[in-house]
Amino acid sequence: MTIVASFGELFIPIFYLYQIIFYFFFRKKEPKESSLKYYKFTCVTNFLIFCATIPVGLFIGIMATDSGEHQTISFILGFLFITGLPLLFFIWSLRDYLILQRSNK
């Protein structure tokens, strides 16, 4: 039981650190400097990471509703605890992709 708890305590910060490193260090500074293929890859990767975190976010959101008060807010906060950062990065990469696609036309 302690192995599972320690793995969970290590996995979530490492996952978020990977997401931050991937997005900020491998991201081009301006959308015009890169090709459309790079931003499509970044957008798809962030979408897949977001989709991978949805089941865990739903589980934590459902468990957060056991508190009794404000069940909807508890669910949303529990869901966004896990999926908030991947969702933010997906929206950001989608925005960059759409900007570059619009400027190429």
Side-chain angles (χ1 to χ4, degrees):
M1 192 73 169
T2 59
I3 294 172
V4 173
S6 64
F7 178 73
E9 291 171 0
L10 289 175
F11 180 70
I12 292 173
I14 289 172
F15 173 74
Y16 283 141
L17 184 65
Y18 164 77
Q19 185 77 8
I20 290 169
I21 288 172
F22 176 77
Y23 194 73
F24 285 115
F25 290 115
F26 294 109
R27 182 176 174 265
K28 304 293 183 194
K29 298 299 178 197
E30 292 293 326
K32 294 177 183 177
E33 293 177 3
S34 183
S35 67
L36 195 61
K37 185 178 178 181
Y38 169 78
Y39 281 99
K40 191 182 292 185
F41 171 76
T42 306
C43 189
V44 168
T45 303
N46 285 329
F47 178 72
L48 291 176
I49 291 172
F50 172 65
C51 287
T53 60
I54 286 176
V56 177
L58 287 173
F59 177 74
I60 290 178
I62 291 170
M63 294 309 240
T65 59
D66 288 341
S67 65
E69 295 183 16
H70 308 291
Q71 292 182 353
T72 305
I73 295 172
S74 298
F75 174 78
I76 291 171
L77 291 176
F79 180 75
L80 290 178
F81 175 73
I82 296 295
T83 60
L85 197 60
L87 178 63
L88 179 69
F89 287 141
F90 170 65
I91 291 170
W92 200 352
S93 64
L94 183 65
R95 181 189 63 91
D96 288 345
Y97 173 72
L98 292 175
I99 288 171
L100 184 66
Q101 189 178 19
R102 187 177 302 155
S103 67
N104 281 345
K105 287 184 178 182

